[in-house]
Amino acid sequence: MSELDRFRDDVRAWIAANYPPSLREPLRVDSPDTPWGGRKTRYANPDVQVWMDRMAAKGWSTPEWQPEHGGAGLTPEHARVLREELAAAGCRPPVISFGLMMLAPVLHEFASEEQRRHFLPPIARGEIRWCQGYSEPGAGSDLAGLKTRAEDLGDHYLVNGQKIWTSYADQADWIFCLVRTNPESKHGGISFLLIDMASPGIEVRPIQLISGKSPFCEVFLTDVRVPKQNLVGKPGEGWKIAKRLLQHERASISTHLQTGLGGSPAGRPLAELARSYAGERDGRIADAHLRDAVARHEMRSEAIALTLRRVQEESGKQGPSALSSITKSLGAQHNKDKHELMVEILSLAGTAWDGAPFTDEEVEVCRQWLRSKGNSIEGGTSEIQTNIVAKQVLGLPD
Amino acid sequence: MALVLDQDQALLRSTATQFARERLPVANLRRLRDTGDATGFDRDAWREMADLGWTGMLIPEPLGGNGFGHFGLGLVLEALGRTLAASPLLSTVVLSGTALTHASDAEPARNLLRQIAAGETVLALAHEEHPRHRPLAIATTARRDGEGYVLNGRKRFVIDGHVAETLLVVARTAGADDDPRGLSLFLLDGATPGISRHRLSLADSRNSADVQLSDVRVDRTALLGEAGAAGPVLERVLDVGRILLSAEMLGAAQQAFETTLEYLKQRQQFGVPIGSFQALQHRAVQMYTEIELARSVLHAALTALDEDGGADVPRQATVCKACVNDTFHLVSNEAVQMHGGIGMTDQVDVGLYLKRARVAEATLGTAAFHRERYATLQGF
Ligand SMILES: Cc1cc2nc3c(=O)[nH]c(=O)nc-3n(C[C@H](O)[C@H](O)[C@H](O)COP(=O)(O)OP(=O)(O)OC[C@H]3O[C@@H](n4cnc5c(N)ncnc54)[C@H](O)[C@@H]3O)c2cc1C
């Protein structure tokens, strides 16, 4: 038996002994049990925390990271075996967080070793939850137009300004922030600063969305003192780091949007939903238009899933695939289309806002339909993505 | 499953692309059209394709083929699609070859497969009877008559029907219209008395014919396989045809797109290239996206033909044809629009791609046909 096979056996035994049975059900979109981590997050099911801690103790939440960064220092082969076994056992991810998906990759690439040792382990263990301070009222698509100032006062920066659309700022412990250290240069005057949300001078106000939920906030920063060792990279290097982080963000959104390939919020396939709301005739969805629409949606799901796989195969063989630039807006549109189709299938029941006699599924169809509208806005709008593809992939002129 | 090409495949594709560009450029189709060429394809080029091994790709080695497989032939058809190259690959190698392979392993079928591999003959599948694809709506009858059969009926839109030396005719030996049971396949020499063939003139200038069968008498050996057993064979043949026709269509869509993209960069209005206008840029990205989706689906379907025992082929074929149809439809329309006035002229090629698009979309099932079939296959 090879060393790798032995490792596989050990992993399998460990999972059997340590995976909380109450987490057997797959994690649903927008579930209160999403393992965001951090000091403020509370879970409906306490086993979420148990699983997070057990994996953290092994360093297996981020198996390939070095132990001093909170990982287990596994080789890619061992990490693959671990992932395969976790998937085979139907384990939920121990941590899903902005820190893990967006910040950590740029810390690995741009931060000093001291910063890595300080900031990475709490991300790996799910102890600190991060939010993203990019957008401002006057700087959305034109992000580099941001105005939040960070003044160099010797041993610290003094930060003044406002961020907006900051997802989960009210739940986060820290914020990674784009700030202006030089007003003279638009792109070259931006720096990447890490700020403790508990610092004096930070005020967070949740914003209510069309879905009725308040996942994102305004963040006001007034004379906030930030130690200089919290600057990642050099002053003025923020734009480069910001863009790289956006690539990681878009990639993780594309992965996340594969949920658009699945069924209803309760996990029912669209065809089943259509049967139960539009009725059956001769064993088929009675409404020919809905039948056509469901078939169209499923066929496109297949095309998108195959394309995502091709992106993976291509980047495995040939380095980053040009195709990855289309997957975010493609996934966004498809997820939006899915939610429109569900509302169409449920019809008036798909506009159920709250309470009896509506089922949880009906209310979720309505709420998630509204939430899905943000898919083509968050992480850079689809129009902006399309501009990028037109120029960088198709070579069309400015 | 391999969605990305390996080295052999990449080499094959570049050979085929070069062949299409040099040997069968779009000018070749124009020449066939403008001279009213009765054959409708270039016989010398067809022989060269056989020399390159393309006619033997679906045929096993003992019968003179090379077994390169569907994926390989798909790459060839995609390359030929780029220049709208006319050839009997679809009628003879794909449709008839698959029918012979699946319907019978008796000597007449094996002999024909040998001839197909060698590029020595042209065959046509005489199946459809309506302008809309209705694979089971077969009214043509084959009545027992002593030791043989008598065939009567009218076959429509038969690809290469007027030039084929041999016709593979789908006829009813039992059952009524739309019944999958009772269908049989007959092998007919094109010169058999009672057969009259009439070449159709379709918008794409490619080969299509009506075939009238009036009291065509054949002996028992003309029946391929068992009487009444052609239904499942036919389904497989049509699925292989759908996937490989999709390959040709994707090549054509890709070329129409690239031609248009080039035009966007070069044509100036308002003192700038029209490709700097965002309205056009976004539509160009839409085309690019749809083509890439179609390519993923096509590669999966071609792979399924070669690797999968067949269970998932019907679903894949249907997803593939629907997706490629929609893509080619979009791209062919946008190609004309983005060329402006010149796009409406016979002088530039985009119009030829538009014409080929509509013929190919309707052949072997429109997107709506395949969505309905998908729903049937998935049980809803
Ligand atoms: C659910 C959600 C979560 C978010 N979370 C965060 C977060 O955590 N942190 C954060 O910093 N930000 C976050 N954002 C903000 C998001 O990144 C911005 O909303 C986005 O970049 C667009 O900026 P804007 O809202 O100012 O719109 P604008 O830039 O004002 O755009 C308005 C419209 O104009 C279009 N437009 C603008 N410029 C062009 C152009 N050049 N060509 C064509 N069309 C153009 C846009 O596509 C859009 O349709 C979130 C947004 C959403 C919806």
Side-chain angles (χ1 to χ4, degrees), chain A residues 275 284 291-292 296 298 300 302 307 310 313 387 394 397, chain B residues 1 3 265 278 281-282 290 292 296 315 371-372 374 376 379:
Chain A
R275 264 186 226 278
R284 316 190 67 172
R291 197 162 68 226
D292 187 77
R296 185 191 291 273
E298 286 197 359
R300 195 163 178 85
E302 175 142 358
T307 302
R310 187 151 68 92
E313 280 187 30
N387 288 346
L394 302 185
Chain B
M1 178 207 316
L3 294 171
K265 292 177 186 176
Q278 197 179 54
Q281 290 186 344
H282 283 201
E290 297 305 322
E292 292 304 329
S296 308
R315 204 182 59 84
R371 285 194 296 272
E372 185 67 359
Y374 179 89
T376 308

PDB file of all heavy atoms in Angstrom, chain A residues 275 284 291-292 296 298 300 302 307 310 313 387 394 397, chain B residues 1 3 265 278 281-282 290 292 296 315 371-372 374 376 379:
ATOM      1  N   ARG A 275     -44.276  20.887 -12.849  1.00  0.00           N
ATOM      2  CA  ARG A 275     -45.358  19.911 -12.766  1.00  0.00           C
ATOM      3  C   ARG A 275     -46.315  20.257 -11.638  1.00  0.00           C
ATOM      4  O   ARG A 275     -47.529  20.160 -11.782  1.00  0.00           O
ATOM      5  CB  ARG A 275     -44.781  18.539 -12.421  1.00  0.00           C
ATOM      6  CG  ARG A 275     -44.526  17.646 -13.556  1.00  0.00           C
ATOM      7  CD  ARG A 275     -44.112  16.321 -12.924  1.00  0.00           C
ATOM      8  NE  ARG A 275     -42.935  15.784 -13.578  1.00  0.00           N
ATOM      9  CZ  ARG A 275     -42.987  15.109 -14.707  1.00  0.00           C
ATOM     10  NH1 ARG A 275     -44.137  14.893 -15.296  1.00  0.00           N
ATOM     11  NH2 ARG A 275     -41.896  14.642 -15.251  1.00  0.00           N
ATOM     12  N   ARG A 284     -46.621  14.687 -18.552  1.00  0.00           N
ATOM     13  CA  ARG A 284     -45.687  15.769 -18.876  1.00  0.00           C
ATOM     14  C   ARG A 284     -46.168  17.074 -18.250  1.00  0.00           C
ATOM     15  O   ARG A 284     -47.331  17.197 -17.863  1.00  0.00           O
ATOM     16  CB  ARG A 284     -45.613  15.951 -20.391  1.00  0.00           C
ATOM     17  CG  ARG A 284     -45.518  14.654 -21.161  1.00  0.00           C
ATOM     18  CD  ARG A 284     -45.213  14.908 -22.604  1.00  0.00           C
ATOM     19  NE  ARG A 284     -43.870  15.469 -22.714  1.00  0.00           N
ATOM     20  CZ  ARG A 284     -43.252  15.666 -23.873  1.00  0.00           C
ATOM     21  NH1 ARG A 284     -43.854  15.369 -24.992  1.00  0.00           N
ATOM     22  NH2 ARG A 284     -42.045  16.165 -23.898  1.00  0.00           N
ATOM     23  N   ARG A 291     -42.763  23.900 -20.487  1.00  0.00           N
ATOM     24  CA  ARG A 291     -41.949  22.727 -20.810  1.00  0.00           C
ATOM     25  C   ARG A 291     -40.754  23.164 -21.658  1.00  0.00           C
ATOM     26  O   ARG A 291     -39.611  22.773 -21.416  1.00  0.00           O
ATOM     27  CB  ARG A 291     -42.822  21.738 -21.572  1.00  0.00           C
ATOM     28  CG  ARG A 291     -42.287  20.351 -21.624  1.00  0.00           C
ATOM     29  CD  ARG A 291     -43.391  19.381 -21.991  1.00  0.00           C
ATOM     30  NE  ARG A 291     -43.842  19.552 -23.355  1.00  0.00           N
ATOM     31  CZ  ARG A 291     -45.124  19.603 -23.723  1.00  0.00           C
ATOM     32  NH1 ARG A 291     -46.092  19.479 -22.827  1.00  0.00           N
ATOM     33  NH2 ARG A 291     -45.446  19.758 -24.984  1.00  0.00           N
ATOM     34  N   ASP A 292     -41.035  23.997 -22.635  1.00  0.00           N
ATOM     35  CA  ASP A 292     -39.983  24.506 -23.505  1.00  0.00           C
ATOM     36  C   ASP A 292     -38.967  25.338 -22.708  1.00  0.00           C
ATOM     37  O   ASP A 292     -37.762  25.203 -22.876  1.00  0.00           O
ATOM     38  CB  ASP A 292     -40.615  25.355 -24.614  1.00  0.00           C
ATOM     39  CG  ASP A 292     -39.597  25.791 -25.665  1.00  0.00           C
ATOM     40  OD1 ASP A 292     -39.239  24.940 -26.500  1.00  0.00           O
ATOM     41  OD2 ASP A 292     -39.162  26.951 -25.636  1.00  0.00           O
ATOM     42  N   ARG A 296     -35.082  24.529 -22.187  1.00  0.00           N
ATOM     43  CA  ARG A 296     -34.081  25.515 -22.610  1.00  0.00           C
ATOM     44  C   ARG A 296     -33.118  25.803 -21.457  1.00  0.00           C
ATOM     45  O   ARG A 296     -31.905  25.822 -21.627  1.00  0.00           O
ATOM     46  CB  ARG A 296     -34.790  26.802 -23.042  1.00  0.00           C
ATOM     47  CG  ARG A 296     -33.870  27.855 -23.620  1.00  0.00           C
ATOM     48  CD  ARG A 296     -34.608  29.183 -23.769  1.00  0.00           C
ATOM     49  NE  ARG A 296     -35.642  29.171 -24.794  1.00  0.00           N
ATOM     50  CZ  ARG A 296     -35.415  29.438 -26.079  1.00  0.00           C
ATOM     51  NH1 ARG A 296     -34.194  29.723 -26.483  1.00  0.00           N
ATOM     52  NH2 ARG A 296     -36.394  29.424 -26.942  1.00  0.00           N
ATOM     53  N   GLU A 298     -32.417  23.954 -18.768  1.00  0.00           N
ATOM     54  CA  GLU A 298     -31.568  22.805 -18.412  1.00  0.00           C
ATOM     55  C   GLU A 298     -30.472  22.578 -19.443  1.00  0.00           C
ATOM     56  O   GLU A 298     -29.344  22.214 -19.096  1.00  0.00           O
ATOM     57  CB  GLU A 298     -32.420  21.548 -18.265  1.00  0.00           C
ATOM     58  CG  GLU A 298     -33.241  21.561 -16.993  1.00  0.00           C
ATOM     59  CD  GLU A 298     -33.764  20.176 -16.632  1.00  0.00           C
ATOM     60  OE1 GLU A 298     -33.498  19.204 -17.383  1.00  0.00           O
ATOM     61  OE2 GLU A 298     -34.459  20.074 -15.602  1.00  0.00           O
ATOM     62  N   ARG A 300     -29.080  24.816 -21.299  1.00  0.00           N
ATOM     63  CA  ARG A 300     -28.056  25.841 -21.135  1.00  0.00           C
ATOM     64  C   ARG A 300     -27.220  25.565 -19.880  1.00  0.00           C
ATOM     65  O   ARG A 300     -26.015  25.799 -19.872  1.00  0.00           O
ATOM     66  CB  ARG A 300     -28.694  27.222 -21.078  1.00  0.00           C
ATOM     67  CG  ARG A 300     -27.689  28.333 -21.278  1.00  0.00           C
ATOM     68  CD  ARG A 300     -28.363  29.633 -21.634  1.00  0.00           C
ATOM     69  NE  ARG A 300     -27.402  30.706 -21.785  1.00  0.00           N
ATOM     70  CZ  ARG A 300     -26.725  30.970 -22.889  1.00  0.00           C
ATOM     71  NH1 ARG A 300     -26.920  30.239 -23.963  1.00  0.00           N
ATOM     72  NH2 ARG A 300     -25.867  31.960 -22.943  1.00  0.00           N
ATOM     73  N   GLU A 302     -26.388  22.745 -18.878  1.00  0.00           N
ATOM     74  CA  GLU A 302     -25.413  21.741 -19.282  1.00  0.00           C
ATOM     75  C   GLU A 302     -24.266  22.386 -20.063  1.00  0.00           C
ATOM     76  O   GLU A 302     -23.089  22.090 -19.831  1.00  0.00           O
ATOM     77  CB  GLU A 302     -26.098  20.666 -20.126  1.00  0.00           C
ATOM     78  CG  GLU A 302     -25.119  19.662 -20.681  1.00  0.00           C
ATOM     79  CD  GLU A 302     -25.658  18.244 -20.676  1.00  0.00           C
ATOM     80  OE1 GLU A 302     -26.789  18.038 -20.195  1.00  0.00           O
ATOM     81  OE2 GLU A 302     -24.932  17.360 -21.143  1.00  0.00           O
ATOM     82  N   THR A 307     -18.706  24.102 -20.055  1.00  0.00           N
ATOM     83  CA  THR A 307     -17.740  25.165 -20.327  1.00  0.00           C
ATOM     84  C   THR A 307     -16.878  25.441 -19.097  1.00  0.00           C
ATOM     85  O   THR A 307     -15.663  25.632 -19.219  1.00  0.00           O
ATOM     86  CB  THR A 307     -18.457  26.440 -20.811  1.00  0.00           C
ATOM     87  OG1 THR A 307     -19.209  26.102 -21.976  1.00  0.00           O
ATOM     88  CG2 THR A 307     -17.474  27.539 -21.157  1.00  0.00           C
ATOM     89  N   ARG A 310     -14.370  22.878 -19.080  1.00  0.00           N
ATOM     90  CA  ARG A 310     -13.344  23.114 -20.099  1.00  0.00           C
ATOM     91  C   ARG A 310     -12.362  24.183 -19.622  1.00  0.00           C
ATOM     92  O   ARG A 310     -11.158  24.078 -19.851  1.00  0.00           O
ATOM     93  CB  ARG A 310     -14.008  23.542 -21.412  1.00  0.00           C
ATOM     94  CG  ARG A 310     -13.047  23.639 -22.576  1.00  0.00           C
ATOM     95  CD  ARG A 310     -13.737  23.351 -23.891  1.00  0.00           C
ATOM     96  NE  ARG A 310     -14.690  24.366 -24.259  1.00  0.00           N
ATOM     97  CZ  ARG A 310     -14.397  25.432 -25.015  1.00  0.00           C
ATOM     98  NH1 ARG A 310     -13.176  25.594 -25.479  1.00  0.00           N
ATOM     99  NH2 ARG A 310     -15.320  26.306 -25.313  1.00  0.00           N
ATOM    100  N   GLU A 313     -10.006  22.393 -17.416  1.00  0.00           N
ATOM    101  CA  GLU A 313      -9.074  21.548 -18.174  1.00  0.00           C
ATOM    102  C   GLU A 313      -8.053  22.397 -18.904  1.00  0.00           C
ATOM    103  O   GLU A 313      -6.867  22.092 -18.918  1.00  0.00           O
ATOM    104  CB  GLU A 313      -9.832  20.665 -19.179  1.00  0.00           C
ATOM    105  CG  GLU A 313     -10.460  19.445 -18.552  1.00  0.00           C
ATOM    106  CD  GLU A 313     -11.055  18.500 -19.604  1.00  0.00           C
ATOM    107  OE1 GLU A 313     -10.546  18.454 -20.742  1.00  0.00           O
ATOM    108  OE2 GLU A 313     -12.045  17.816 -19.285  1.00  0.00           O
ATOM    109  N   ASN A 387     -17.079  44.754 -21.385  1.00  0.00           N
ATOM    110  CA  ASN A 387     -16.084  45.692 -21.935  1.00  0.00           C
ATOM    111  C   ASN A 387     -14.696  45.062 -21.914  1.00  0.00           C
ATOM    112  O   ASN A 387     -13.927  45.173 -22.865  1.00  0.00           O
ATOM    113  CB  ASN A 387     -16.023  46.976 -21.091  1.00  0.00           C
ATOM    114  CG  ASN A 387     -17.246  47.858 -21.282  1.00  0.00           C
ATOM    115  OD1 ASN A 387     -18.018  47.672 -22.220  1.00  0.00           O
ATOM    116  ND2 ASN A 387     -17.431  48.811 -20.387  1.00  0.00           N
ATOM    117  N   LEU A 394     -11.197  39.844 -27.461  1.00  0.00           N
ATOM    118  CA  LEU A 394     -11.495  40.003 -28.887  1.00  0.00           C
ATOM    119  C   LEU A 394     -10.623  41.064 -29.561  1.00  0.00           C
ATOM    120  O   LEU A 394     -10.642  41.191 -30.780  1.00  0.00           O
ATOM    121  CB  LEU A 394     -12.976  40.356 -29.078  1.00  0.00           C
ATOM    122  CG  LEU A 394     -13.983  39.338 -28.508  1.00  0.00           C
ATOM    123  CD1 LEU A 394     -15.402  39.737 -28.864  1.00  0.00           C
ATOM    124  CD2 LEU A 394     -13.685  37.931 -29.019  1.00  0.00           C
ATOM    125  N   PRO A 397     -11.048  47.772 -30.525  1.00  0.00           N
ATOM    126  CA  PRO A 397     -10.365  49.023 -30.150  1.00  0.00           C
ATOM    127  C   PRO A 397     -11.137  49.859 -29.133  1.00  0.00           C
ATOM    128  O   PRO A 397     -12.347  49.702 -28.995  1.00  0.00           O
ATOM    129  CB  PRO A 397     -10.262  49.778 -31.479  1.00  0.00           C
ATOM    130  CG  PRO A 397     -11.328  49.216 -32.342  1.00  0.00           C
ATOM    131  CD  PRO A 397     -11.563  47.803 -31.897  1.00  0.00           C
TER     132      PRO A 397
ATOM    133  N   MET B   1     -13.548  12.791 -19.577  1.00  0.00           N
ATOM    134  CA  MET B   1     -13.872  13.250 -20.931  1.00  0.00           C
ATOM    135  C   MET B   1     -12.921  14.361 -21.332  1.00  0.00           C
ATOM    136  O   MET B   1     -12.577  15.231 -20.545  1.00  0.00           O
ATOM    137  CB  MET B   1     -15.297  13.786 -20.924  1.00  0.00           C
ATOM    138  CG  MET B   1     -15.722  14.331 -22.249  1.00  0.00           C
ATOM    139  SD  MET B   1     -16.975  15.589 -22.064  1.00  0.00           S
ATOM    140  CE  MET B   1     -18.056  14.849 -20.861  1.00  0.00           C
ATOM    141  N   LEU B   3     -12.329  17.637 -23.112  1.00  0.00           N
ATOM    142  CA  LEU B   3     -12.961  18.782 -23.756  1.00  0.00           C
ATOM    143  C   LEU B   3     -11.908  19.606 -24.491  1.00  0.00           C
ATOM    144  O   LEU B   3     -12.212  20.469 -25.278  1.00  0.00           O
ATOM    145  CB  LEU B   3     -13.686  19.647 -22.720  1.00  0.00           C
ATOM    146  CG  LEU B   3     -14.882  18.968 -22.051  1.00  0.00           C
ATOM    147  CD1 LEU B   3     -15.387  19.807 -20.891  1.00  0.00           C
ATOM    148  CD2 LEU B   3     -15.994  18.730 -23.035  1.00  0.00           C
ATOM    149  N   LYS B 265     -12.986  45.735 -36.842  1.00  0.00           N
ATOM    150  CA  LYS B 265     -11.717  46.400 -36.539  1.00  0.00           C
ATOM    151  C   LYS B 265     -11.265  47.285 -37.695  1.00  0.00           C
ATOM    152  O   LYS B 265     -10.499  48.223 -37.495  1.00  0.00           O
ATOM    153  CB  LYS B 265     -10.637  45.345 -36.246  1.00  0.00           C
ATOM    154  CG  LYS B 265     -10.897  44.584 -34.961  1.00  0.00           C
ATOM    155  CD  LYS B 265      -9.864  43.489 -34.722  1.00  0.00           C
ATOM    156  CE  LYS B 265     -10.256  42.655 -33.510  1.00  0.00           C
ATOM    157  NZ  LYS B 265      -9.352  41.532 -33.273  1.00  0.00           N
ATOM    158  N   GLN B 278     -19.543  50.637 -28.318  1.00  0.00           N
ATOM    159  CA  GLN B 278     -19.842  49.648 -27.278  1.00  0.00           C
ATOM    160  C   GLN B 278     -21.030  48.744 -27.635  1.00  0.00           C
ATOM    161  O   GLN B 278     -21.047  47.565 -27.295  1.00  0.00           O
ATOM    162  CB  GLN B 278     -20.107  50.366 -25.962  1.00  0.00           C
ATOM    163  CG  GLN B 278     -20.020  49.453 -24.776  1.00  0.00           C
ATOM    164  CD  GLN B 278     -20.275  50.196 -23.483  1.00  0.00           C
ATOM    165  OE1 GLN B 278     -21.289  50.862 -23.327  1.00  0.00           O
ATOM    166  NE2 GLN B 278     -19.361  50.082 -22.558  1.00  0.00           N
ATOM    167  N   GLN B 281     -19.538  46.108 -29.597  1.00  0.00           N
ATOM    168  CA  GLN B 281     -18.603  45.294 -28.786  1.00  0.00           C
ATOM    169  C   GLN B 281     -19.361  44.272 -27.947  1.00  0.00           C
ATOM    170  O   GLN B 281     -18.999  43.106 -27.876  1.00  0.00           O
ATOM    171  CB  GLN B 281     -17.783  46.193 -27.853  1.00  0.00           C
ATOM    172  CG  GLN B 281     -16.780  47.066 -28.590  1.00  0.00           C
ATOM    173  CD  GLN B 281     -15.885  47.843 -27.634  1.00  0.00           C
ATOM    174  OE1 GLN B 281     -16.196  47.958 -26.443  1.00  0.00           O
ATOM    175  NE2 GLN B 281     -14.796  48.374 -28.152  1.00  0.00           N
ATOM    176  N   HIS B 282     -20.427  44.722 -27.325  1.00  0.00           N
ATOM    177  CA  HIS B 282     -21.153  43.812 -26.443  1.00  0.00           C
ATOM    178  C   HIS B 282     -21.827  42.692 -27.226  1.00  0.00           C
ATOM    179  O   HIS B 282     -21.869  41.552 -26.780  1.00  0.00           O
ATOM    180  CB  HIS B 282     -22.174  44.594 -25.601  1.00  0.00           C
ATOM    181  CG  HIS B 282     -21.522  45.339 -24.475  1.00  0.00           C
ATOM    182  ND1 HIS B 282     -22.188  45.761 -23.365  1.00  0.00           N
ATOM    183  CD2 HIS B 282     -20.226  45.708 -24.283  1.00  0.00           C
ATOM    184  CE1 HIS B 282     -21.338  46.373 -22.541  1.00  0.00           C
ATOM    185  NE2 HIS B 282     -20.152  46.354 -23.084  1.00  0.00           N
ATOM    186  N   GLU B 290     -21.546  32.567 -26.963  1.00  0.00           N
ATOM    187  CA  GLU B 290     -22.407  31.483 -27.454  1.00  0.00           C
ATOM    188  C   GLU B 290     -21.595  30.443 -28.219  1.00  0.00           C
ATOM    189  O   GLU B 290     -21.846  29.250 -28.117  1.00  0.00           O
ATOM    190  CB  GLU B 290     -23.529  32.045 -28.335  1.00  0.00           C
ATOM    191  CG  GLU B 290     -24.487  32.989 -27.617  1.00  0.00           C
ATOM    192  CD  GLU B 290     -25.131  32.382 -26.374  1.00  0.00           C
ATOM    193  OE1 GLU B 290     -25.463  31.184 -26.401  1.00  0.00           O
ATOM    194  OE2 GLU B 290     -25.277  33.096 -25.366  1.00  0.00           O
ATOM    195  N   GLU B 292     -18.481  29.656 -27.720  1.00  0.00           N
ATOM    196  CA  GLU B 292     -17.697  28.853 -26.777  1.00  0.00           C
ATOM    197  C   GLU B 292     -18.569  27.846 -26.031  1.00  0.00           C
ATOM    198  O   GLU B 292     -18.153  26.718 -25.780  1.00  0.00           O
ATOM    199  CB  GLU B 292     -16.923  29.745 -25.802  1.00  0.00           C
ATOM    200  CG  GLU B 292     -15.804  30.556 -26.469  1.00  0.00           C
ATOM    201  CD  GLU B 292     -14.800  29.689 -27.230  1.00  0.00           C
ATOM    202  OE1 GLU B 292     -14.561  28.535 -26.831  1.00  0.00           O
ATOM    203  OE2 GLU B 292     -14.258  30.171 -28.242  1.00  0.00           O
ATOM    204  N   SER B 296     -18.156  23.630 -26.221  1.00  0.00           N
ATOM    205  CA  SER B 296     -18.087  22.691 -25.090  1.00  0.00           C
ATOM    206  C   SER B 296     -19.084  21.552 -25.291  1.00  0.00           C
ATOM    207  O   SER B 296     -18.775  20.381 -25.073  1.00  0.00           O
ATOM    208  CB  SER B 296     -18.421  23.399 -23.772  1.00  0.00           C
ATOM    209  OG  SER B 296     -17.638  24.555 -23.612  1.00  0.00           O
ATOM    210  N   ARG B 315     -29.611  12.216 -25.645  1.00  0.00           N
ATOM    211  CA  ARG B 315     -29.714  13.474 -24.918  1.00  0.00           C
ATOM    212  C   ARG B 315     -28.616  14.451 -25.371  1.00  0.00           C
ATOM    213  O   ARG B 315     -28.867  15.628 -25.631  1.00  0.00           O
ATOM    214  CB  ARG B 315     -29.581  13.205 -23.423  1.00  0.00           C
ATOM    215  CG  ARG B 315     -30.205  14.254 -22.517  1.00  0.00           C
ATOM    216  CD  ARG B 315     -29.957  13.874 -21.066  1.00  0.00           C
ATOM    217  NE  ARG B 315     -28.532  13.790 -20.810  1.00  0.00           N
ATOM    218  CZ  ARG B 315     -27.780  14.841 -20.511  1.00  0.00           C
ATOM    219  NH1 ARG B 315     -28.305  16.025 -20.382  1.00  0.00           N
ATOM    220  NH2 ARG B 315     -26.475  14.695 -20.328  1.00  0.00           N
ATOM    221  N   ARG B 371     -35.715  20.906 -28.137  1.00  0.00           N
ATOM    222  CA  ARG B 371     -36.127  21.178 -26.750  1.00  0.00           C
ATOM    223  C   ARG B 371     -37.276  20.263 -26.354  1.00  0.00           C
ATOM    224  O   ARG B 371     -37.319  19.725 -25.251  1.00  0.00           O
ATOM    225  CB  ARG B 371     -36.509  22.647 -26.581  1.00  0.00           C
ATOM    226  CG  ARG B 371     -35.307  23.569 -26.543  1.00  0.00           C
ATOM    227  CD  ARG B 371     -35.668  24.949 -26.041  1.00  0.00           C
ATOM    228  NE  ARG B 371     -36.580  25.636 -26.927  1.00  0.00           N
ATOM    229  CZ  ARG B 371     -36.209  26.381 -27.965  1.00  0.00           C
ATOM    230  NH1 ARG B 371     -34.936  26.544 -28.242  1.00  0.00           N
ATOM    231  NH2 ARG B 371     -37.112  26.983 -28.712  1.00  0.00           N
ATOM    232  N   GLU B 372     -38.196  20.074 -27.277  1.00  0.00           N
ATOM    233  CA  GLU B 372     -39.318  19.170 -26.980  1.00  0.00           C
ATOM    234  C   GLU B 372     -38.807  17.737 -26.821  1.00  0.00           C
ATOM    235  O   GLU B 372     -39.241  17.009 -25.937  1.00  0.00           O
ATOM    236  CB  GLU B 372     -40.360  19.276 -28.096  1.00  0.00           C
ATOM    237  CG  GLU B 372     -41.634  18.471 -27.868  1.00  0.00           C
ATOM    238  CD  GLU B 372     -42.489  18.973 -26.694  1.00  0.00           C
ATOM    239  OE1 GLU B 372     -42.110  19.946 -26.011  1.00  0.00           O
ATOM    240  OE2 GLU B 372     -43.546  18.347 -26.463  1.00  0.00           O
ATOM    241  N   TYR B 374     -35.827  16.905 -25.827  1.00  0.00           N
ATOM    242  CA  TYR B 374     -35.115  16.864 -24.551  1.00  0.00           C
ATOM    243  C   TYR B 374     -36.097  16.634 -23.407  1.00  0.00           C
ATOM    244  O   TYR B 374     -35.878  15.789 -22.534  1.00  0.00           O
ATOM    245  CB  TYR B 374     -34.358  18.178 -24.337  1.00  0.00           C
ATOM    246  CG  TYR B 374     -33.603  18.263 -23.027  1.00  0.00           C
ATOM    247  CD1 TYR B 374     -32.299  17.811 -22.919  1.00  0.00           C
ATOM    248  CD2 TYR B 374     -34.211  18.792 -21.890  1.00  0.00           C
ATOM    249  CE1 TYR B 374     -31.608  17.879 -21.721  1.00  0.00           C
ATOM    250  CE2 TYR B 374     -33.531  18.868 -20.682  1.00  0.00           C
ATOM    251  CZ  TYR B 374     -32.237  18.404 -20.606  1.00  0.00           C
ATOM    252  OH  TYR B 374     -31.570  18.480 -19.414  1.00  0.00           O
ATOM    253  N   THR B 376     -38.942  15.212 -23.539  1.00  0.00           N
ATOM    254  CA  THR B 376     -39.404  13.820 -23.621  1.00  0.00           C
ATOM    255  C   THR B 376     -38.367  12.876 -23.030  1.00  0.00           C
ATOM    256  O   THR B 376     -38.688  12.012 -22.211  1.00  0.00           O
ATOM    257  CB  THR B 376     -39.654  13.431 -25.094  1.00  0.00           C
ATOM    258  OG1 THR B 376     -40.515  14.404 -25.678  1.00  0.00           O
ATOM    259  CG2 THR B 376     -40.277  12.053 -25.199  1.00  0.00           C
ATOM    260  N   GLY B 379     -38.217  12.992 -19.404  1.00  0.00           N
ATOM    261  CA  GLY B 379     -39.441  12.576 -18.720  1.00  0.00           C
ATOM    262  C   GLY B 379     -40.313  13.712 -18.225  1.00  0.00           C
ATOM    263  O   GLY B 379     -41.087  13.548 -17.282  1.00  0.00           O
TER     264      GLY B 379
END
